[in-house]
Amino acid sequence: MSAAVRHTDVAAYALGLLEEPDRRAFEGHLPACPACRHELADLRGLAAVLKELPSFTG
Amino acid sequence: MAHRTPTAPGTWSWFRAAPGSVDDQVIVTELYRVYGRPLLSFTLRLTGGDRHWAEDVVQETMIRAWRSAHRLDENAASLLPWLATVARRIVIDDRRRRSARPQEAGEGPLENLHAPDGLENMLRSVVVSEALLALSPAHREILNETYFRDRSVNEAAEALGIPVGTVKSRVYYALRALRVALEERGVTP
């Protein structure tokens, strides 16, 4: 059902936007992919910054 | 924005790099170009939306920054926190001066700003909002349709009538653009 994991999934994963099957698939991909692990660490900081926003409704 | 030079950490070295060699007008212009908008947004909140007052406060803040160049932290990625603190100080002083009863009148709206945490958060949210507004409409839209509406990529894909993979990659490129926009404003998440 879920397509193959792509490296760009890391952003949706960091923001918590993936549904369960995709989320698990991406977590399966992580240990084998240093690039995604590195990028995830970066994007987590960004996700934290967005979370601090009071209420953005653009 | 095409004319905006991307700024890396330690970005304001132009500000004090060559004392006396840089024209004062250039320095003030540069201060306004880099920090004018975010500082005004921030100051408007302190003045309760009084634009004229806020603009005066921003101007005074820029003048003080220019005078204090030698006292500023050279390693700071951004002058914005310093500028915001000065602007807040000026607003408080203005209120005191205007108020017949300095101890009571006008204290209310500033009360929650006394905590440094509150100030930091407020400042940061101003900068982050600015960065979001600087994104292309397509990037902003995909974040609105997903994260800010609390939708999964699948839900957003359905709502937009586009493939899930497209939503995921747009989210990815939107976040990369946001990161650049934040770095330009001195925030390195």
Side-chain angles (χ1 to χ4, degrees):
Chain A
M1 163 166 164
S2 79
V5 172
R6 292 186 178 188
H7 297 294
T8 47
D9 290 359
V10 67
Y13 178 77
L15 290 183
L17 304 177
L18 292 183
E19 290 193 355
E20 200 50 28
D22 281 355
R23 192 180 65 79
R24 260 184 275 122
F26 186 77
E27 282 173 353
H29 162 79
L30 263 184
C33 185
C36 278
R37 286 204 304 275
H38 180 77
E39 196 143 24
L40 179 60
D42 261 18
L43 291 173
R44 282 215 163 111
L46 203 54
V49 165
L50 284 179
K51 206 172 255 178
E52 282 169 22
L53 269 192
S55 59
F56 177 81
T57 43
Chain B
M1 247 146 279
H3 66 272
R4 184 191 286 278
T5 315
T7 46
T11 58
W12 56 278
S13 42
W14 50 265
F15 189 69
R16 49 179 291 162
S21 72
V22 182
D23 187 58
D24 291 347
Q25 188 55 49
V26 172
I27 290 178
V28 173
T29 305
E30 198 56 13
L31 277 173
Y32 268 96
R33 189 185 67 78
V34 179
Y35 300 111
R37 270 180 47 118
L39 186 63
L40 183 63
S41 310
F42 172 74
T43 308
L44 273 168
R45 297 196 190 187
L46 300 183
T47 62
D50 184 331
R51 192 169 186 93
H52 186 75
W53 184 10
E55 282 168 355
D56 284 350
V57 170
V58 168
Q59 188 176 25
E60 175 63 21
T61 304
M62 295 309 194
I63 290 170
R64 290 192 194 180
W66 166 68
R67 280 203 209 114
S68 311
H70 60 282
R71 288 197 288 116
L72 299 173
D73 178 3
E74 201 166 0
N75 298 314
S78 170
L79 286 184
L80 201 50
W82 187 90
L83 294 169
T85 306
V86 171
R88 174 174 161 270
R89 191 75 254 160
I90 294 170
V91 170
I92 291 171
D93 289 349
D94 281 354
R95 280 191 195 273
R96 291 227 172 93
R97 217 171 298 130
R98 290 175 186 196
S99 167
R101 291 176 300 157
Q103 292 309 310
E104 296 160 58
E107 288 291 304
L110 283 173
E111 227 160 58
N112 55 351
L113 294 176
H114 286 311
D117 278 359
L119 179 73
E120 280 295 313
N121 291 342
M122 187 168 154
L123 177 61
R124 180 168 274 230
S125 69
V126 167
V127 175
V128 176
S129 304
E130 287 259 342
L132 284 164
L133 289 173
L135 295 181
S136 72
H139 285 157
R140 204 160 54 233
E141 188 203 13
I142 202 65
L143 292 179
N144 282 338
E145 293 293 335
T146 54
Y147 185 77
F148 290 112
R149 289 198 180 175
D150 211 10
R151 279 180 180 158
S152 71
V153 284
N154 304 60
E155 290 165 340
E158 196 165 318
L160 296 171
I162 56 177
V164 181
T166 306
V167 175
K168 288 177 184 171
S169 69
R170 282 189 193 166
V171 167
Y172 178 78
Y173 289 106
L175 278 196
R176 280 177 63 141
L178 179 61
R179 180 175 194 79
V180 171
L182 283 170
E183 280 171 359
E184 280 182 11
R185 287 163 179 77
V187 176
T188 43

